[in-house]
Amino acid sequence: MSVIEQSAPAKYPDVRNYIGGSFVDSNGSGHLDVTNPADGSVISRVPLSGMNEVDRAVQVARKAQSAWAAVPIKERVQVFYRYKSLLEKNIDELSALVTEENGKIRGEAEAEVLKSAELCEFACSLPQIIPGEVLEVSRGVECRVERYPVGIVASIAPFNFPNMVPNWTIPNAIALGNAMILKPSEQVPLSSGRIAELLSQAGLPDGILNVVHGGQATVEAICDHPDIEAISFVGSTHVAKIVYRRGSENLKRVLALGGAKNHLIVMPDANPDMTSSNVVASMAGCAGQRCMAASVMVAVGMTDHIIDRMTGIVRGMVPGVHLGPVISKAAKERIEKYIAEAEAAGAKVLVDGRGYTVAGKEGGYFVGPTLIDYVTPDMRIAQEEIFGPVMVIVRAKNVDEALGVQQRSRYGNAASVFTESGGVARYVMEKASAGMVGVNVGVPVPREPFGFGGWNESKFGTGDITGRGSIEFWTKSKKMTTKWSKEAGVNWMS
Ligand code: NAD
């Protein structure tokens, strides 16, 4: 994307911030183009907001939040029952928008919107989950714990799930009584405007969800604003560290999810058909742009028959049909450079996705699915996050050697093992250094009510971003001690 000063003809009007229930212009430092990655066309422009816009949203959120917090949670969640059905009713339009700004193919975009609906389901169940604790702690003296909203919170999102990642945080944070400033990725800003409109249609009061668009300066303003109490961030590890440090330095609670390098350990006894199709689906789904995508297969012993099957499947995949483009020209160039570097270092490219173009969409940023064998753990391609449809195969003699490759990764989002042996499966699940592990599944995403969150440099902060693990993050607990019985004895805490 390039900074442009003049209006360019585009399919959609300029994106605007959403503050206090209305779309408003930003007085920020210019605009960026928003492109459709499938053909490279400019479809809109997004404003680059600064501290003034963030502050404007915070002032509005502050006014709205105290009234919202006073609404009982059973009433607050009614908004999310209605919002969930609006997501389902509008799935065609919402998923088309995801496809247009992010590039993922239709089925993947629909799955993303359905996942957003599932996230609402969990938020709707919060009244059944969060009732406080109460106990008579000494004669006539009762302690209880109640949860209160944190106040004004921020959610900063990446480009790869324009609809789902905002919905990782919106339903739970808002149902728990907070007001939110959402900062979508400047590469995919369109979906969040529709999310805000649908929430308003579902009855969310003005000022509870505000959307402030922009990039680095917007994020820095969020980290520095004194009235924002909590920040959730999802994006690369490099930026997750910046946000975690800067937000914590400003005494906010921060949960920052970072990048990933997910390993699939394939044992020789693994079911060949299931394993080959699952491994390929994990690496190529969403063009490899998922933080749960498998990017390293550690092939243990005699697994050539599985690799041959994978090669056949990958050769049959057609970019533009079975997988979409990557997000930008820069991403395509970066991914292709990693492949070239691995080849030069001695790895064997089994299927090469470089230089791919789709007829009629020559301006698109397509990378064909790529398989690279005989990669060694010391190569950059085996260690760094590629974020594209590329699977490297590292050979290992036994399960411990395979686990060693996984455990030495700086990341720790997901890991999975493919085997028919329960003992090996359990061993790998226990020993893998990752927050989300699986057996015979390529994408071990824990669905609600379980929380989503990795280990190591894939997550900074405590708790998870979804599910039960997020409740602690979005609330403050208050411990109440009461004594109404005049007969209760006198002791050290009277
Ligand atoms: P990114 O880190 O470039 O951007 C994320 C957000 O940070 C965006 O809103 C962006 O505007 C902002 N930002 C970018 N540079 C910044 C800077 N220097 N200072 C402050 N803010 C800045 O990530 P991306 O490219 O949009 O998304 C892809 C990354 O997200 C991958 O690394 C992927 O693994 C990760 N991701 C992780 C998870 C997870 O659950 N762990 C989920 C989805 C995506």
Side-chain angles (χ1 to χ4, degrees), residues 157-160 183 186 216 219 233-236 257-259 291 385 452:
F159 78 79
N160 62 332
K183 207 300 282 175
E186 64 276 36
Q216 179 174 346
V219 171
F233 170 90
V234 181
S236 62
L257 273 58
C291 64
E385 184 178 40
F452 187 102

Side-chain angles (χ1 to χ4, degrees), residues 156-161 164-165 168 183-187 214-220 223 233-240 242-243 256-261 289-292 327 334 385 387 411 413 436 452-454 458-459 465:
I156 302 165
F159 78 79
N160 62 332
F161 284 95
M164 183 194 77
V165 170
W168 268 0
K183 207 300 282 175
S185 163
E186 64 276 36
Q187 299 188 87
Q216 179 174 346
T218 324
V219 171
E220 287 170 358
C223 291
F233 170 90
V234 181
S236 62
T237 290
H238 172 68
V239 182
I242 294 173
V243 170
L257 273 58
K261 190 82 184 166
Q289 299 175 120
R290 287 187 288 188
C291 64
M292 294 294 278
I327 189 68
R334 188 196 66 235
E385 184 178 40
F387 225 51
Y411 299 105
N413 228 30
M436 295 171 279
F452 187 102
S458 291
K459 190 186 79 177
I465 200 157

Side-chain angles (χ1 to χ4, degrees), residues 64-262:
Q65 194 264 332
S66 47
W68 179 241
V71 174
I73 188 164
K74 270 175 163 301
E75 285 176 43
R76 288 197 301 252
V77 300
Q78 297 309 314
V79 170
F80 291 97
Y81 280 103
R82 293 188 289 268
Y83 174 59
K84 176 181 182 285
S85 54
L86 286 170
L87 288 171
E88 287 159 349
K89 201 168 139 204
N90 292 285
I91 188 163
D92 288 346
E93 177 225 332
L94 294 169
S95 46
L97 202 52
V98 167
T99 294
E100 208 164 11
E101 62 179 340
N102 168 278
K104 64 184 66 167
I105 58 173
R106 193 51 182 258
E108 293 167 347
E110 279 172 8
E112 169 168 356
V113 178
L114 286 175
K115 180 67 204 181
S116 297
E118 186 180 40
L119 290 152
C120 292
E121 227 172 84
F122 180 78
C124 290
S125 69
L126 281 168
Q128 328 319 322
I129 296 174
I130 61 151
E133 301 154 37
V134 57
L135 184 72
E136 185 185 45
V137 289
S138 54
R139 187 154 167 73
V141 179
E142 180 190 281
C143 265
R144 59 194 293 140
V145 180
E146 289 184 6
R147 296 209 162 266
Y148 286 75
V150 178
I152 301 170
V153 300
S155 174
I156 302 165
F159 78 79
N160 62 332
F161 284 95
N163 191 298
M164 183 194 77
V165 170
N167 280 306
W168 268 0
T169 57
I170 292 170
N172 292 359
I174 290 181
L176 289 165
N178 300 289
M180 178 178 278
I181 315 294
L182 170 67
K183 207 300 282 175
S185 163
E186 64 276 36
Q187 299 188 87
V188 293
L190 298 168
S191 291
S192 54
R194 286 299 289 137
I195 289 171
E197 282 178 330
L198 292 180
L199 275 165
S200 174
Q201 207 179 319
L204 187 70
D206 293 347
I208 298 300
L209 175 71
N210 305 281
V211 185
V212 180
H213 292 281
Q216 179 174 346
T218 324
V219 171
E220 287 170 358
I222 287 171
C223 291
D224 293 346
H225 198 294
D227 295 340
I228 295 177
E229 303 278 352
I231 303 175
S232 82
F233 170 90
V234 181
S236 62
T237 290
H238 172 68
V239 182
K241 285 181 181 173
I242 294 173
V243 170
Y244 188 77
R245 289 199 179 105
R246 191 154 173 164
S248 305
E249 173 72 24
N250 287 320
L251 308 177
K252 302 176 194 314
R253 56 174 78 177
V254 184
L255 182 62
L257 273 58
K261 190 82 184 166
N262 304 314

Side-chain angles (χ1 to χ4, degrees), residues 231-412:
I231 303 175
S232 82
F233 170 90
V234 181
S236 62
T237 290
H238 172 68
V239 182
K241 285 181 181 173
I242 294 173
V243 170
Y244 188 77
R245 289 199 179 105
R246 191 154 173 164
S248 305
E249 173 72 24
N250 287 320
L251 308 177
K252 302 176 194 314
R253 56 174 78 177
V254 184
L255 182 62
L257 273 58
K261 190 82 184 166
N262 304 314
H263 295 71
L264 301 182
I265 296 178
V266 175
M267 301 301 292
D269 69 341
N271 178 285
D273 283 334
M274 183 185 68
T275 303
S276 51
S277 58
N278 281 218
V279 172
V280 171
S282 176
M283 78 95 163
C286 300
Q289 299 175 120
R290 287 187 288 188
C291 64
M292 294 294 278
S295 50
V296 180
M297 167 173 158
V298 192
V300 179
M302 292 296 295
T303 39
D304 285 348
H305 59 298
I306 296 173
I307 294 169
D308 288 347
R309 273 186 170 75
M310 285 166 54
T311 308
I313 299 171
V314 171
R315 287 212 175 107
M317 293 180 90
V318 182
V321 178
H322 301 114
L323 72 162
V326 296
I327 189 68
S328 63
K329 188 164 181 275
K332 178 178 161 74
E333 286 169 2
R334 188 196 66 235
I335 296 161
E336 293 185 345
K337 204 170 146 205
Y338 271 110
I339 301 169
E341 195 183 290
E343 192 176 36
K348 184 174 172 198
V349 181
L350 300 178
V351 187
D352 192 348
R354 283 174 290 180
Y356 213 98
T357 49
V358 171
K361 294 183 173 176
E362 284 76 11
Y365 315 126
F366 290 91
V367 178
T370 300
L371 269 188
I372 312 178
D373 204 352
Y374 298 105
V375 168
T376 52
D378 56 314
M379 289 182 192
R380 236 161 50 94
I381 200 166
Q383 294 176 6
E384 298 179 8
E385 184 178 40
I386 312 296
F387 225 51
V390 179
M391 171 67 87
V392 303
I393 302 169
V394 174
R395 303 284 184 146
K397 283 194 279 305
N398 54 44
V399 71
D400 286 312
E401 191 182 325
L403 270 168
V405 173
Q406 191 283 328
Q407 289 160 340
R408 283 192 293 277
S409 172
R410 61 193 273 244
Y411 299 105

